[in-house]
Amino acid sequence: MAKPIRQFLSIIIVALFLAHAVPGWQLPLIPQLEVLADDVRTRLYLDHRTDDRIVIVDIDEASLTEVGQWPWPRTVLAQLVTQLHEQYQVKVIGFDMVFAEADDTPKEVINQLASQSLAKFNQPLATVIEQFDGDQQFAQALKDAPTVMGLVFKSDTPLTLNQLPASDFAIPIEQQGAVDLPRPSGFTANLNILQEAGTAHGFFDNPLVDGDGIYRRASMLQVHNQHVYPALALQVTRLALDNAPLHFQLREDSSGRWQVTDLQLGRLLIPVGEKASLRVPYLRLKNSFNYISAAQVLAGSVAKEALENKIVLIGTTAPGLKDIRPTPVNSQLPGVEVHASIISGILDSRIPFQPSWSLTIEIAQLLLIGFALLITLSFLEPIRGMVVTGFILTMVVATNLYFWQRGIYLPIMSSVMLTLVFYLFNVSWSLLVESRNKRFITRVFGQYIPPELVDEMADRQTDISIQGEAREMTVLFSDVQGFTAIAENLQPQELTKLMNDLLTPLTAVIHQHRGTIDKYMGDAIMAFWGAPLASERHSNDAVRSAWEMQEAVAELHQDFASQGLPPIGMGIGLNTGPMFVGNMGSEFRMAYTVMGDAVNLGSRLEGLTRQYDVSILVSESTQKSATEFSFREIDRVIVKGKQRPITIFEPLGPTDKVSKHTQTLAAEFHEVLRHYRQQEWAEALRLLHGLLEQDPSHSGLYQLYLDRVQILSEQPPPADWDGVFVFTSK
């Protein structure tokens, strides 16, 4: 029952992760882990080169020291633009800043003049104002150069400053309100005079910063009053590509929302994801682009080739101007470098993208992982399960990195977490649920079988039952001969030690060969094979145990002799057949035991070992199934309480270790039995006398047959006599 429950819960785990993969519902923690994995992959596969097509003109600390604190007079900015355009002939200039307020420099000059005697000045006042009107000069410089002006959208406030420029893009009437793009409520734009002077405009804010503040994605489009505005980086790239046409493609999703799927910039296709966002393709940890101080440009001290035909972004790294952004590659990256990275990625078609078929891949991967782990972890031991889990994790990561290197983003953490959660669940199940089963098995069977067999039973619990059932098994009965006389002369403590010394090695042999101790009866042992774990070799294991038990008794003779005790012998009887096995007893006491006629026959055979003066006797069924041993036939008998005759055998030893001499003696004894059953008494006597001389260790067996032959030769049996000896006592 435990395994189906385990498999059902495993399927539930897979179903939860499949539900997570489908948009609309997410498991906790996985989205956060996904962005961390994104960061790792980004750092792992950085390009580590400097893109010299893009130059950042930096308003750095040195520039602030040289020119003065920010904001600079517009006349200085006009000079900067003029220098870049006329002297250095740059391709395009983008401003990572907004000029929302008028330049106060003319007012300050007028106030200064008003405080002095205007008679000194022959120029008209209007001429003076025009001479010092920085906004006018800056606007003129912007008109003359290819420039992109920055602007800022705001989602947290409806306040607006200045006027937005006209947009070249509008949403079709039938799709208005349904396009999935950021829709800010407020904005800050440039002064109209400056905005109209710039060649193009683009926003440099990022409405899609992740919850931890890290700049991983950037939106390329935003909507205000049903007009679409491109990002600064996108507009700068357009101008750099000779004002290439920009188009975007819309696709309706299942919820009725229109998604921007691709941006077409001239011949370049820019893959975008949710809300027209793209993953910023960072190049290096820092300084992926050449930085030139704005003060050097103003002074004209920069080599022309450093700027000629370059894409220029004007930004700042000065700490006081607060344009520092946390990114996956650097926690303090200048914001202007984020825009430069996007431009570089667009020009090189190096934007990581998530294809439309990524959901299909993710679901297929989750199903494959779930199926593989469900099959393997249910049947493998923990170590092999860990190896399989490690292999699956390796393949998931390797496959994901393979696609990432080719610019294709596929989710990874759902597959990784499914693998880990699935493995941890199964390990926990093994530790908690299966350990409980093991404790139960140990409690029930620990007193009968060795600990290593308990472990195996715990692993194969579907084969274990304590309910009564019928099985083909082998039972063993052993009894020490002459032990009662020895015990009568011992003190209780001495008898206890002697019993322990005797039963411990005999029990060890039975356990070694996977036998189950049924009970101890004084110096006697009852054991069986084939339960609680089923075994196809139960008869071989039982006979081998009997053989080695006799060897253990022989080794004890020396210890007994040192204690002044006489040598002991032990008779063992074995039978194979159908038996009932299970927990049997009363409400007051239960025991795991075997019952049945086959069990009783095993007990009778142990008693017959004294009659035939042999140490081990087995039934014909045991002799046939114990194929690893050689036997010699001893007799055909009817034991007390039975009606049918049985043939009994003595094991000679493992077949590969029986000597030729022993085989010869066994063959001669089989001849004795043949003559005996054919009532050829003289020939039987002759052979028996020869065996007595050759094999005195079995003199009791040979003498028994000599006595029988003597009696039968004097009192011949009936003509139809079959040679079966009937025992009337146990």
Side-chain angles (χ1 to χ4, degrees), residues 677-719:
R677 290 165 183 163
Q678 293 177 0
Q679 302 185 33
E680 297 172 352
W681 313 121
E683 187 61 23
L685 286 172
R686 184 185 69 79
L687 292 173
L688 284 168
H689 284 297
L691 286 171
L692 273 172
E693 293 179 2
Q694 298 178 69
D695 187 17
S697 62
H698 286 84
S699 58
L701 172 65
Y702 303 143
Q703 189 61 52
L704 180 145
Y705 272 95
L706 281 172
D707 293 342
R708 284 188 188 178
V709 171
Q710 284 285 16
I711 294 172
L712 291 172
S713 63
E714 296 173 1
Q715 302 175 12

Side-chain angles (χ1 to χ4, degrees), residues 166-225:
S167 173
D168 296 333
F169 309 100
I171 300 174
I173 295 176
E174 65 274 12
Q175 296 166 355
Q176 288 184 2
V179 176
D180 188 25
L181 289 174
R183 295 174 178 270
S185 54
F187 61 84
T188 297
N190 295 281
L191 291 172
N192 287 345
I193 187 175
L194 302 180
Q195 193 68 65
E196 293 174 0
T199 310
H201 50 267
F203 64 86
F204 56 82
D205 60 285
N206 187 1
L208 299 180
V209 178
D210 288 331
D212 56 2
I214 304 297
Y215 276 60
R216 299 181 180 91
R217 300 180 301 154
S219 181
M220 293 292 98
L221 302 173
Q222 294 193 63
V223 175
H224 192 274
N225 289 336

Side-chain angles (χ1 to χ4, degrees), residues 179-181 221 247-253 257-264 269-277 353-356:
V179 176
D180 188 25
L181 289 174
L221 302 173
H247 304 283
F248 53 87
Q249 300 176 9
L250 295 175
R251 176 175 55 84
E252 189 175 15
D253 62 18
R257 299 284 292 173
W258 289 85
Q259 304 288 338
V260 178
T261 57
D262 292 293
L263 296 174
Q264 186 77 40
L269 186 65
I270 306 171
V272 292
E274 181 184 7
K275 297 185 182 300
S277 64
F353 73 100
Q354 184 173 356
S356 59

